[in-house]
Structures are given as C-alpha cells and as structure tokens.
C-alpha cells in the first residue's frame, strides 16, 4: 500500500512538472493526486493500526472493504485538531475526479485547482513525515527543474505561507518557499536543523548556513556560510533580495554576525567585538 500512494504521488509530481495552461495535463494530475491522497489516507490508518475505523460495516461489524473516500476524509478531519490542508480543498479533488470519470467532463484550465494539487502533494508529504516519519519527496541537492514551473512555484509558496512559521527567499530559485526542515524533510538525508526549499526541492545545511536580516534592505534574506571565515573575522555573504554582498563580521565574544559599519563595533587587542559589552 505504501508503494501505491508513493507511485501515484510521484506520477502526479511528474505530471505537474509538465502541466501548463496550454496542455491537457491538469486533469491527469488532478485524478492522480486524488488517488495518491486516498491511498495515503488508507495507508495511514493501516500503518497506525486504526484501519477498522475506516472499514465498511455489516451488522455492526467491520468487513474487508474500505469506506468511500469522502467518509475517510471526514473521519480523518473529525479525529484531528490540526492538519496541513483544508478539507474542502482535498474534497474538491474528488469532485473534479468524479466530473471527469463519471460525467465525462474534461475540466478546463483552472488555476485554483492547479494550486490545490500542489498543496495536496505537500499535505501528503508533511503529514507522512509528522505522523509516520515517511517522505515522498527527494532531496535534490541542486535545484530541481520543477521549481521553474509556475504552478508548482505558486503552490509551494502558498503552502509555505500557510503552514510554515518562518519562510525565507530561496538562495537557489528565489521563491519564498525556503523553510525549516522541522515542518517536513525532503528525505532522510535532511536533519531538522536544515533549511529546505519547497519550490526547487533543494536543501541547505543548517549546521553552518546562517540567514540574517540584511544590513542594507533589512529583509531576512542575507545568507552566509559560517564555516567560511576570511581574514579579520569576516564572512562572505549575499542578500537574495537586494543583492548586497558586503562581508559581515562575527563578534569574538558572542558569535553574532554584524555589519562592520555598525557604530557599536569595538576593536580591542586586534579582535573585533559587536559592542562595548562584548569587549569587556
Ligand atoms: Zn528554491
Ligand atoms: Zn538586502
Ligand atoms: Zn558580541
């Protein structure tokens, strides 16, 4: 069953990567994402030993047949106080699927539906990670080409805004979709201190990458590698937003990074400190 939902999710992912307003892929992506979601929810109940709760009943006893998807979805939401997606969005996938399969309607271009499909992929990945320690995505190390697809990008930024506490502009793809791997990982190569980009599916090693408020534009978008020290306690960095790339300095006492133009900087016995307190 795990293979089932992972296969459909991966296929949905491939389809979204090739979906645009100018082709017919959206309907295939919608149907596949609904199947992936249904199989995922069934897998979740089986894996957590609660499958009885979503089986059909005869004379009060569960029989070897699953309830309908909408009942399973209702049960999932009725038994949770929080989730990585809205029930009505996930339910819409079923409506779209039924319109295609049962009524022969071929859905036209629908930008909202496209975003819902992407959000569903993240719903599955985040839920699978938080509840089951499973992931369907893959850490690509280098930016994945799907990040250039406007549908995926819109869905990734949308999900990040709704469900991630802190979101940064990604150093690789520029999308506002870089967040802490505490929410979900791309795969088991990530640790929870890493940063992952939901748009280009790459990650940054949180043990040495720092993201600071930029000294120039003040956005939290100034990246530096804390292992790459230059002379005079300086570090090379760059702001994704305003492209400022002056070196910043690390205080010899508190280890905070600051811009050398800071008026409170103190030079004492050839060491730099961020402020008078640190120098004493
Ligand atoms: Zn990115
Ligand atoms: Zn800046
Ligand atoms: Zn200091």
């Amino acid at each position: 069953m795990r293979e089932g939902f992972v296969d459909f999710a991966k296929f949905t992912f491939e389809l979204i990567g090739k979906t645009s307003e100018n082709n017919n892929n959206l309907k295939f992506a919608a149907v596949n994402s609904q199947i992936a979601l249904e199989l995922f929810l069934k897998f979740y109940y089986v894996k957590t030993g609660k499958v009885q709760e979503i089986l059909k009943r005869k004379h009060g006893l569960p029989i070897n047949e699953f309830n309908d998807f909408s009942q399973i979805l209702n049960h999932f939401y009725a038994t949770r106080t929080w989730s990585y997606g809205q029930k009505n969005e996930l339910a819409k996938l079923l409506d779209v699927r039924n319109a295609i399969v049962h009524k022969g309607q071929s859905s036209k271009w629908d930008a909202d539906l496209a975003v819902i499909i992407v959000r569903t992929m993240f719903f599955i990945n985040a839920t699978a990670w938080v509840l089951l320690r499973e992931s369907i995505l893959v850490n690509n190390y280098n930016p994945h080409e799907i990040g250039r697809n406007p549908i995926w990008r819109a869905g990734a930024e949308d999900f990040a805004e709704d469900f991630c506490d802190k979101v940064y502009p990604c150093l690789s793809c520029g999308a506002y979709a870089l967040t802490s791997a505490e929410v979900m990982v791309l795969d088991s190569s990530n640790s929870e201190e890493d940063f992952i980009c939901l748009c280009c599916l790459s990650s940054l090693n949180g043990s040495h990458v720092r993201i600071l408020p930029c000294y120039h534009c003040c956005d939290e978008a100034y990246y530096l590698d804390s292992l790459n020290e230059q002379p005079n306690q300086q570090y090379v960095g760059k702001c994704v937003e305003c492209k400022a790339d002056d070196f910043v300095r690390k205080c010899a006492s508190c280890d905070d990074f600051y811009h050398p133009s800071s008026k409170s900087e103190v030079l004492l016995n050839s060491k730099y400190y961020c402020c008078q307190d640190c120098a004493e």
Side-chain angles (χ1 to χ4, degrees):
M1 189 167 268
R2 181 185 186 280
E3 271 174 28
F5 90 80
V6 173
D7 285 351
F8 277 96
K10 285 192 187 303
F11 193 42
T12 308
F13 180 75
E14 268 178 52
L15 284 166
I16 294 170
K18 294 179 202 150
T19 295
S20 80
E21 217 167 324
N22 307 316
N23 61 37
N24 285 323
N25 283 343
L26 185 67
K27 61 174 181 279
F28 299 118
V31 171
N32 272 279
S33 66
Q34 190 277 325
I35 297 173
L37 175 63
E38 182 165 347
L39 291 175
F40 166 68
L41 289 176
K42 289 174 180 171
F43 173 74
Y44 160 73
Y45 280 96
V46 170
K47 190 84 191 281
T48 52
K50 294 189 287 192
V51 69
Q52 303 256 343
E53 297 176 21
I54 56 159
L55 292 179
K56 287 193 170 148
R57 289 177 171 261
K58 226 175 200 166
H59 309 303
L61 294 172
I63 60 171
N64 204 8
E65 205 179 308
F66 285 108
N67 278 331
D68 295 339
F69 172 69
S70 49
Q71 289 170 289
I72 296 174
L73 195 59
N74 283 338
H75 187 281
F76 182 80
Y77 274 90
T79 50
R80 309 202 64 78
T81 52
W82 198 83
S83 113
Y84 284 108
Q86 287 164 17
K87 189 169 101 179
N88 58 355
E89 284 191 356
L90 301 178
K92 181 173 176 177
L93 291 179
L94 184 67
D95 297 340
V96 171
R97 175 187 178 278
N98 286 342
I100 294 169
V101 177
H102 299 307
K103 297 182 195 155
Q105 289 173 358
S106 176
S107 58
K108 300 188 296 289
W109 178 251
D110 179 341
D112 291 344
L113 174 64
V115 168
I116 289 175
I117 295 168
V118 180
R119 286 168 64 99
T120 301
M121 300 293 282
F122 288 118
F123 166 85
I124 294 176
N125 206 64
T127 309
W129 177 246
V130 170
L131 300 180
L132 306 172
R133 286 299 183 229
E134 303 255 359
S135 177
I136 53 168
L137 299 173
V138 176
N139 188 356
N140 295 278
Y141 301 98
N142 295 313
H144 191 285
E145 63 179 32
I146 200 166
R148 292 200 293 272
N149 179 298
I151 296 165
W152 181 264
R153 190 179 173 106
E157 289 188 326
D158 209 48
F159 183 91
E161 187 184 336
D162 280 1
F163 295 105
C164 304
D165 281 347
K166 277 209 128 173
V167 183
Y168 309 92
C170 173
L171 189 58
S172 301
C173 72
Y176 262 85
L178 189 90
T179 191
S180 160
E182 281 173 19
V183 180
M184 68 177 125
V185 296
L186 295 175
D187 62 26
S188 54
S189 67
N190 286 129
S191 81
E192 294 208 343
E193 65 180 354
D194 290 349
F195 298 100
I196 61 167
C197 176
L198 303 183
C199 181
C200 69
L201 305 177
S202 62
S203 68
L204 295 172
N205 189 327
S207 67
H208 54 88
V209 171
R210 297 280 179 280
I211 307 173
L212 313 173
C214 171
Y215 56 85
H216 184 65
C217 71
C218 301
D219 280 359
E220 213 160 336
Y222 191 88
Y223 286 70
L224 65 86
D225 182 343
S226 67
L227 296 185
N228 187 14
E229 185 171 1
Q230 307 294 311
N232 300 323
Q233 298 160 238
Q234 295 192 106
Y235 291 77
V236 184
K238 182 169 185 158
C239 175
V240 177
E241 285 300 320
C242 74
K243 314 295 178 213
D245 60 357
D246 285 18
F247 286 7
V248 291
R249 199 144 26 221
K250 183 162 133 184
C251 173
S253 171
C254 72
D255 286 349
D256 274 0
F257 293 91
Y258 62 92
H259 193 245
S261 67
S262 161
K263 289 195 172 58
S264 61
E265 176 177 69
V266 177
L267 177 61
L268 186 69
N269 301 329
S270 53
K271 278 191 173 167
Y272 291 92
Y273 300 88
C274 72
C275 61
Q276 192 60 43
D277 280 356
C278 279
E280 281 165 5

